[in-house]
Amino acid sequence: MIEARHLTKRFGNTTAVDDVSFVVREGEILGFLGPNGAGKSTVMNMLTGYLSSTAGSVSIGGYDILEQPFEAKKHIGYLPENPPLYLDMTVKEYLYFIYDLKKVSLPRYAHIDEICRLVLIGDVMNRVIKNLSRGYRQRVGIAQALIGNPEALILDEPTVGLDPRQIIEMRRLIRLLGKNHTVILSSHILPEIQAVCQRVIVMNGGKIIADGTPDRLAKKLAPSRRVTLRAVGPMQDILSELQKSPGVHAIKPKGEAEEGAFDFSLEPDPDCDIRHVVSKRMAEAGLPVLMMRAEEPSLEEVFLKITDPAYGAVDDEPDEYAAYRQDYNQSAVLNPAPGADPAEDPNRAAAGELADEIFGERPREFGAQSGSEAPETEIPQAAETPEPENPVTGDEKEEN
């Protein structure tokens, strides 16, 4: 659907985007994640043709965004970080104006009415835009992006400035839009990406440093599996037994979870499964274990790890995506031979088959990380022992 090939953008001596290549497949919800200044918005602007690239190219539905802009832009709807609204128009006047600008051939009234029902702005159609709340303005911005029924939506920081209730409603709307559209979502807010995106591209310093589903990134880049334990008994007795357990590197007490039962977060030694050893030791000590579960690393942990300057960038992306990137970068699409037909390139075909296998599996969402944190307790090594989401109804009016 969307192909970016070796995108580079320089502003004077500053390189904002450095040799970025990726493919967005039809029906994907892709999140661009990165700290402020990572190059996300610059990439968004190049994808939509608002900025020309210093090097590289963008193809939308098979059309080059700079060589064939009119055809390419028929396939995309764009919501910039600040919605391009005419504040003195009513919502209806504005949407009709955008309809005419885009030269849409669909029936005007039925098409705009359908969009307004989808984004829940039908009750403000006759209101002046400057009197709408931030949440409603964002919805009007999405409505203008949907005019013409484009296959792809590009949303740059769509929840910026919204209150918590509006953010939840915006997430629901994006997930709903993802059922019938390809969606690219840019954000520096971790929960935003984790809540709605099937695939994440992490940028830092103008480069792609990771690419994969949140689940795959977490498993690949944060492989250490913490264990949460809940046991019954005196807290100090439980702590003492855990300190004697081989393979337990650090313990973080999390407090009393229920009457007489305490939770602990256990950090194992690398490549060590401590569950059997810990459960056996606790049973021998007469300290019943009520619960023991592996903690899933959060996207936040992954993000902090891979945006660290010492991190080794692309070499550590998940194996499947590394293979996909390698095959794609070798393909005739990016490096065409004179007179070659890209459709016959075996590397590109292999990459497409691999992508089908990867993207056909919708990742499960992470569970929330919870519990108050206490300083970790480093454990001295012990001797080895035998191991046996209602529609928005009330955005308030803002007074002039």
Side-chain angles (χ1 to χ4, degrees):
M1 180 64 209
I2 299 176
E3 297 181 52
R5 311 168 191 132
H6 301 302
L7 277 182
T8 299
K9 182 63 180 179
R10 299 186 184 90
F11 298 96
N13 294 326
T14 301
T15 300
V17 176
D18 188 4
D19 194 23
V20 166
S21 296
F22 59 90
V23 178
V24 187
R25 295 172 61 80
E26 186 174 351
E28 256 192 301
I29 302 180
L30 169 68
F32 261 89
L33 178 64
N36 290 323
K40 305 183 302 297
S41 292
T42 304
V43 170
M44 300 292 104
N45 285 329
M46 288 191 287
L47 291 180
T48 57
Y50 279 77
L51 276 179
S52 60
S53 58
T54 304
S57 61
V58 173
S59 174
I60 310 288
Y63 298 99
D64 188 283
I65 193 66
L66 298 180
E67 302 272 336
Q68 301 160 292
F70 185 73
E71 292 299 326
K73 291 179 182 180
K74 284 182 179 180
H75 295 274
I76 56 175
Y78 180 39
L79 176 66
E81 182 175 348
N82 297 306
L85 306 176
Y86 288 90
L87 301 182
D88 291 329
M89 288 183 173
T90 65
V91 174
K92 180 186 291 186
E93 290 170 342
Y94 173 70
L95 294 181
Y96 284 4
F97 173 63
I98 297 298
Y99 176 95
D100 292 334
L101 280 182
K102 290 187 175 182
K103 300 181 180 179
V104 179
S105 59
L106 298 169
R108 178 195 295 261
Y109 301 107
H111 180 52
I112 291 180
D113 183 64
E114 180 184 5
I115 291 173
C116 291
R117 288 200 310 270
L118 178 64
V119 301
L120 302 175
I121 59 172
D123 56 334
V124 298
M125 285 293 287
N126 294 314
R127 290 184 55 188
V128 177
I129 292 175
K130 68 182 178 183
N131 294 330
L132 298 178
S133 69
R134 175 75 188 200
Y136 267 114
R137 292 186 190 186
Q138 287 291 89
R139 289 176 176 273
V140 174
I142 291 180
Q144 64 81 24
L146 286 169
I147 289 178
N149 196 26
E151 292 97 326
L153 295 174
I154 299 176
L155 312 177
D156 191 0
E157 304 277 3
T159 61
V160 65
L162 302 185
D163 64 38
R165 180 176 59 81
Q166 292 169 338
I167 289 174
I168 292 171
E169 291 299 329
M170 185 62 67
R171 289 176 183 172
R172 290 175 181 170
L173 177 58
I174 292 170
R175 283 194 291 265
L176 179 62
L177 294 173
K179 295 180 179 179
N180 298 305
H181 301 270
T182 300
V183 179
I184 300 179
L185 169 67
S186 167
S187 181
H188 65 280
I189 303 173
L190 292 160
E192 207 64 52
I193 298 295
Q194 189 166 338
V196 299
C197 295
Q198 303 166 7
R199 175 183 164 205
V200 179
I201 288 178
V202 184
M203 291 192 66
N204 196 28
K207 296 183 178 182
I208 292 177
I209 58 174
D211 184 348
T213 67
D215 201 28
R216 291 175 185 272
L217 288 178
K219 288 179 179 178
K220 180 70 177 181
L221 302 177
S224 177
R225 287 292 186 268
R226 296 190 187 94
V227 173
T228 294
L229 169 78
R230 180 175 298 171
V232 177
M235 181 175 178
Q236 288 302 321
D237 291 353
I238 299 172
L239 183 60
S240 176
E241 293 299 324
L242 292 175
Q243 290 173 336
K244 298 174 186 177
S245 299
V248 178
H249 177 70
I251 303 171
K252 183 183 294 185
K254 301 175 77 172
E256 189 173 18
E258 52 187 280
E259 186 175 357
F262 297 88
D263 281 3
F264 298 84
S265 179
L266 311 179
E267 178 74 30
D269 289 334
D271 301 320
C272 181
D273 187 346
I274 60 174
R275 291 174 296 176
H276 293 293
V277 174
V278 169
S279 59
K280 180 182 178 183
R281 180 172 289 276
M282 300 300 286
E284 292 174 347
L287 301 169
V289 174
L290 301 183
M291 178 268 291
M292 186 185 296
R293 62 176 174 82
E295 297 178 8
E296 292 289 352
S298 68
L299 186 59
E300 181 175 3
E301 292 176 282
V302 175
F303 177 76
L304 292 175
K305 178 177 180 180
I306 62 181
T307 54
D308 188 297
Y311 175 73
V314 176
D315 291 340
D316 286 297
E317 69 183 352
D319 295 337
E320 297 92 338
Y321 284 91
Y324 177 41
R325 181 186 301 282
Q326 180 179 4
D327 285 341
Y328 179 74
N329 286 341
Q330 291 174 351
S331 74
V333 177
L334 298 183
N335 305 289
D341 182 359
E344 298 178 357
D345 176 48
N347 286 323
R348 189 185 189 199
E353 292 172 3
L354 180 58
D356 286 336
E357 178 182 344
I358 295 170
F359 299 140
E361 177 184 351
R362 185 180 181 88
R364 58 184 172 80
E365 293 185 355
F366 287 111
Q369 301 294 322
S370 61
S372 58
E373 295 190 356
E376 290 190 354
T377 305
E378 293 290 335
I379 305 303
Q381 295 298 317
E384 293 289 336
T385 59
E387 182 176 339
E389 216 218 252
N390 295 325
V392 175
T393 58
D395 275 339
E396 296 295 329
K397 289 194 292 184
E398 294 179 355
E399 298 296 329
N400 291 328

